[in-house]
Every structure is written in structure tokens, then in C-alpha cells.
């Protein structure tokens, strides 16, 4: 069974592919034909790895969380993606794709962003490598992620509000796709998660796979074996999760857990738990599980965390779900908040709201005392301080 990579048409099982308007064929085909040869070349890898080490600050620590482990009576390790430059895992992918775009002769970069982390990461890579940068962002997300909007602007990016639909991430993706259709030659679209038409899910998963590559090396050093008993990550589109799972999906002994945003509850009508609520459909260029009505209208998702507020899930994860290779939990807003405060108190680490959904699995599942449980701490909580402050004033 191959869970790691799609087939030559971009399918993971029955999920994936490239469902795009004809106008996008040349762009997507150019990428499909060239991405592997470029990103696997020695020249590319030298430049990319050098930047990951000296600019991003990799390898990120694999931290044994002693206090959290004591509380949950198991062995918990946190993969500290929050310590990356710009504060989340997104930079691994943004930097890789902007380097790829340069090698494809592109001069203009567009991106979409929800929490703002991908926008900041892309704007950062563009500042560093000297490319024009335009970021599409839902109007509501612009309001709830003001610090990241300021960062993007300071980095020289133009931030354009998506004002249609729910004014959140999926609407920003639609605007970005529209831009790409209108600017096919000069522009590369840096998709921020393992979503979109083939080859984006594979491209993004490969750039994020550094996370599990490092986990293996670090576990070997710490516990004498490369594989944990569990890996846990939150899933919006699924890029930090794909990176965390990548080098473990073919290892049967490693159990895989994904945490989705339950919002106010799976059955509340305000949720983003795609595997619970979704059905087979096409969203943003690939076939996957989508939250939609019977006649195919996308249902507006809800999550307290902008980064998980997405009505779909990458085909990589839809395949893991369907095959029962991964176990999926739905974590509600209040449960994620509780876990954020708990980690802060016990370990002195303020996590992103997204990452807190992964932490909340500790309350849902019983682990054995000697289980090695690796949780991806996908980002830091600075951007969520307003939400955390509001919570503190209520309770
Ligand atoms: C964007 C984001 C996510 C969700 O995106 P994935 O592609 O599912 O990883 C999770 N955590 C943080 C900190 C983010 O910024």
C-alpha cells in the first residue's frame, strides 16, 4: 500500500487528481512536468536545505514534555514547529515553493491565507528572494488576524480582501485561483496546504516531510528507535499533519491520529470536521471529502481557529481516513482553548489555537504509560492572543 505519494495522475486511492478550468492547464501542466526533477536536483536541495538550517532555524527541537507527560501518564514529545522563523510550519513549504517558482522563471507570487501564517511565510520568502507578492485573505480573517496582516504589509506584500461567501479561507482560495487564470505566465500560486490540483498535495507534503524526517532522527537519539507509538497532528487542509505522518504512514506499528476542528460541535451546524460531515466532492481542484449540501453547495465551515476553518481536507488524508490508516478526532472550540491554557501553564509554551486541537486529543484517548506519543506543535500562539485574552476575561 502506498499512502505516501500519489499515482502519476495525482490520486491517493480515489482522492486527488486535477480538476481545473481549461485556462489553468498550462500552469498546472508546467508544474506537473517539472516539479520532481527540480526539487530533487542537488542544486535545489543545497539551496533549500541551507536556508532551512540557517534561515528557518531547523532542525526544530523534539521536546520531551515532562509535566504534560506526568499529567496524562504517558510519554509525550512535542515537535516544535512553533520555533520556526515566522512561527509555524508554513515556512517549510513557502520557501520551497518560492525557490521552485524562481527556477521556473516566475517573477510574481500569489498566495491565499487563513490564519495569516501562510501569507506571512510566503511574504517572508518573497522578501528574501526578491519576488513580488500578493496575498488573498478573507475579510473576516483580516479582522481576526490583524497582527499577521501588519506583518505581511511590512514584508512588502499586497494583501487583498476576499469579500464573497463566508469571507474566510475558501473564498480567498477562489480569488487566488481567479488571479492565476488571469496571470498564467508570470505567476506561481503558492498553495499553503496539501490541497489543490495535482501536483500541489504531493509538492507540499514533500516540503513538509522534513518534520517526520527529523522526528525519526531525534527519536533515534533520544529513545534508541526511530518510530513512536503515536503521531498526532491537527488537520486544516492537512500540511503539518502530512509532514508529521509522511515518513511513518508505511510503518504499521505507528498509529496515526488526526485532529479536526469540531467548532461548536459536529452537529451544531457550526463545524469544520470534514471527515465527519464531508462527502466525496471536488473542491479547489481536487477530488476529496468536502462539506457540501446534497446538491453540491459548499457548506460554510466554522472553527475558532482561522487555520482550520476550511470545508475540505487534502486527498492524502481523505485516503488515510477511508482506509482507516488514521484515526480522526473532532475537537471543539472550547476543548482546544482548554488545551491551549493547559500547555501554557504546564510547560510554559503558548501554542497556536490550531495546534491546541492536536493537544486536546490527550483528553479523548487513553495512552499507555510507556507509549511514545509525538504531537506536532504546528505554531505559536502570538497571533491568537486576542482570542486567549477574551477567554481569560470570561472565565
Ligand atoms: C495553517 C495552520 C494550520 C493548518 O494548516 P495545515 O495545512 O492543516 O497544517 C495548523 N497550525 C498552524 C499553526 C497553522 O498556521
Amino acid at each position: 500500500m502506498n499512502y505516501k505519494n500519489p499515482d502519476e495522475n495525482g490520486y491517493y486511492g480515489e482522492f486527488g487528481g486535477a480538476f481545473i478550468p481549461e485556462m489553468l492547464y498550462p500552469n498546472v501542466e508546467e508544474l506537473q512536468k517539472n516539479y520532481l526533477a527540480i526539487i530533487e536536483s542537488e542544486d535545489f536541495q543545497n539551496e533549500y536545505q541551507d536556508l532551512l538550517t540557517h534561515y528557518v532555524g531547523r532542525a526544530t527541537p523534539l521536546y520531551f514534555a515532562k509535566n504534560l507527560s506526568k499529567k496524562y501518564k504517558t510519554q509525550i514529545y512535542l515537535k516544535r514547529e512553533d520555533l520556526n522563523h515566522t512561527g509555524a510550519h508554513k515556512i517549510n513549504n513557502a520557501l520551497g515553493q518560492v525557490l521552485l517558482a524562481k527556477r521556473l522563471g516566475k517573477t510574481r507570487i500569489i498566495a491565499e491565507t487563513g490564519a495569516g501564517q501562510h501569507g506571512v511565510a510566503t511574504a517572508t520568502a518573497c522578501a528574501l528572494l526578491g519576488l513580488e507578492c500578493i496575498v488573498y485573505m478573507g475579510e473576516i480573517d483580516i479582522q481576526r488576524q490583524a497582527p499577521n496582516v501588519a506583518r505581511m504589509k511590512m514584508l512588502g506584500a499586497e494583501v487583498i480582501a476576499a469579500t464573497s461567501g463566508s469571507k474566510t479561507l475558501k473564498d480567498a482560495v477562489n480569488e487566488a485561483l481567479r488571479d492565476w487564470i488571469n496571470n498564467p505566465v508570470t505567476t506561481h500560486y503558492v498553495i499553503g496546504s496539501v490541497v489543490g490540483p495535482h501536483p500541489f498535495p504531493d509538492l507540499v507534503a514533500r516540503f513538509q516531510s522534513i518534520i517526520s524526517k527529523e522526528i525519526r532522527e531525534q527519536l533515534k537519539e533520544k529513545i534508541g528507535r526511530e518510530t513512536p507509538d503515536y503521531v498526532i497532528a491537527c488537520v486544516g487542509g492537512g500540511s503539518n499533519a502530512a509532514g508529521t505522518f509522511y515518513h511513518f504512514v508505511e510503518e504499521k506499528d505507528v498509529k496515526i491520529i488526526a485532529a479536526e476542528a469540531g467548532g461548536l460541535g459536529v452537529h451544531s451546524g457550526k463545524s469544520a470536521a470534514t471527515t465527519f460531515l464531508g462527502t466525496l466532492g471536488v473542491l479547489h481542484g481536487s477530488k476529496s471529502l468536502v462539506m457540501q449540501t446534497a446538491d453540491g453547495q459548499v457548506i460554510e465551515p466554522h472553527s475558532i481557529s482561522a487555520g482550520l476553518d476550511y470545508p475540505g481536507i487534502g486527498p492524502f488524508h481523505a485516503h488515510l481516513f477511508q482506509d482507516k490508516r488514521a484515526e480522526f478526532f473532532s475537537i471543539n472550540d472550547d476543548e482546544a482553548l482548554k488545551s491551549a491554557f493547559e500547555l501554557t501553564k504546564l510547560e510554559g509554551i503558548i501554542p497556536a489555537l490550531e495546534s491546541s486541537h492536536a493537544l486536546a486529543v490527550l483528553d479523548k484517548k487513553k495512552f499507555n504509560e510507556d507509549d511514545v506519543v509525538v504531537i506536532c506543535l504546528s505554531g505559536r500562539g502570538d497571533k491568537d492572543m486576542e482570542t486567549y485574552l477574551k477567554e481569560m476575561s470570561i472565565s
Side-chain angles (χ1 to χ4, degrees), residues 15 25 59 61-62 66 70 86 233 265 273 299 319 364-365 381 384:
F15 307 105
Y25 282 179
L62 183 70
K66 195 163 128 230
K70 199 167 157 201
T86 71
I299 294 170
H319 187 215
K364 300 251 162 179
K365 187 164 176 95
D384 298 310

Side-chain angles (χ1 to χ4, degrees), residues 260-263 303-305 308 331-343 351-360 363 388:
E260 286 187 299
S303 167
I304 193 170
S305 72
L308 303 184
I331 305 296
N332 294 347
D333 290 352
D334 57 338
E335 295 167 328
L337 274 171
K338 179 171 164 269
S339 293
F341 281 89
E342 181 180 83
L343 185 75
L353 265 169
E354 291 83 4
S355 321
S356 307
H357 287 71
L359 293 163
D363 272 323
Y388 292 152

Side-chain angles (χ1 to χ4, degrees), residues 88-90 115 117 192-193 234-241 307-308 352 354-355 378-379:
H89 65 291
K90 298 277 178 18
Q117 295 298 99
S193 191
C234 68
V235 175
S239 69
N240 87 89
L308 303 184
E354 291 83 4
S355 321
S378 54

Side-chain angles (χ1 to χ4, degrees), residues 51-249:
L51 285 174
L52 287 181
T53 305
H54 301 290
Y55 185 73
V56 176
R58 301 204 72 93
T60 59
L62 183 70
Y63 166 68
F64 176 64
K66 195 163 128 230
N67 300 327
L68 201 64
S69 297
K70 199 167 157 201
K71 163 143 197 211
Y72 287 99
K73 299 189 172 59
T74 189
Q75 311 297 311
I76 302 167
Y77 291 82
L78 302 176
K79 182 58 174 162
R80 300 290 308 274
E81 292 300 298
D82 60 315
L83 294 179
N84 283 324
H85 179 44
T86 71
H89 65 291
K90 298 277 178 18
I91 190 80
N92 305 328
N93 167 55
L95 207 49
Q97 281 201 51
V98 174
L99 282 174
L100 170 64
K102 268 195 104 159
R103 279 172 166 71
L104 288 168
K106 310 288 178 183
T107 55
R108 183 174 175 272
I109 295 293
I110 56 172
E112 87 297 332
T113 196
Q117 295 298 99
H118 175 58
V120 168
T122 305
T124 299
C126 288
L128 176 71
L129 299 166
L131 281 83
E132 185 188 353
C133 183
I134 290 103
V135 179
Y136 291 94
M137 191 169 185
E139 204 172 30
I140 295 203
D141 292 336
I142 287 180
Q143 288 160 16
R144 58 182 175 177
Q145 306 290 338
N148 274 342
V149 175
R151 264 176 217 124
M152 284 182 261
K153 289 185 175 162
M154 185 161 172
L155 288 159
E158 184 186 349
V159 180
I160 301 180
T163 54
S164 62
S166 57
K167 305 180 176 58
T168 59
L169 184 55
K170 81 165 174 36
D171 312 292
V173 177
N174 288 334
E175 293 296 328
L177 283 169
R178 211 162 291 154
D179 180 314
W180 208 23
I181 289 172
N182 291 327
N183 301 284
V185 180
T186 56
T187 301
H188 176 71
Y189 176 15
V190 177
I191 291 187
S193 191
V194 285
V195 301
H198 175 61
F200 280 103
D202 187 43
L203 179 63
V204 178
R206 282 170 192 264
F207 285 138
Q208 294 294 357
S209 69
I210 182 84
I211 298 173
S212 47
K213 181 169 176 274
E214 288 175 3
I215 292 172
R216 292 189 76 109
E217 292 162 2
Q218 291 166 324
L219 278 179
K220 175 90 176 158
E221 203 166 282
K222 284 175 201 289
I223 64 167
R225 62 180 163 105
E226 289 186 16
T227 53
D229 296 290
Y230 291 88
V231 280
I232 305 177
C234 68
V235 175
S239 69
N240 87 89
T244 305
F245 303 163
Y246 197 84
H247 291 290
F248 299 118
V249 281

Side-chain angles (χ1 to χ4, degrees), residues 3 74 212 215-216 219 225-233 241 244-259 320 324-329 361 365-376:
Y3 291 109
T74 189
S212 47
I215 292 172
R216 292 189 76 109
L219 278 179
R225 62 180 163 105
E226 289 186 16
T227 53
D229 296 290
Y230 291 88
V231 280
I232 305 177
T244 305
F245 303 163
Y246 197 84
H247 291 290
F248 299 118
V249 281
E250 314 296 351
E251 308 238 15
K252 288 214 171 59
D253 293 345
V254 181
K255 293 169 214 86
I256 293 174
I257 296 179
L320 296 182
K324 299 193 165 55
R325 175 64 187 93
E327 186 178 5
F328 280 70
F329 284 91
V361 169
K365 187 164 176 95
K366 183 87 189 86
F367 298 98
N368 292 328
E369 218 158 312
D370 59 354
D371 279 342
V372 171
V373 180
V374 175
I375 303 176
C376 182

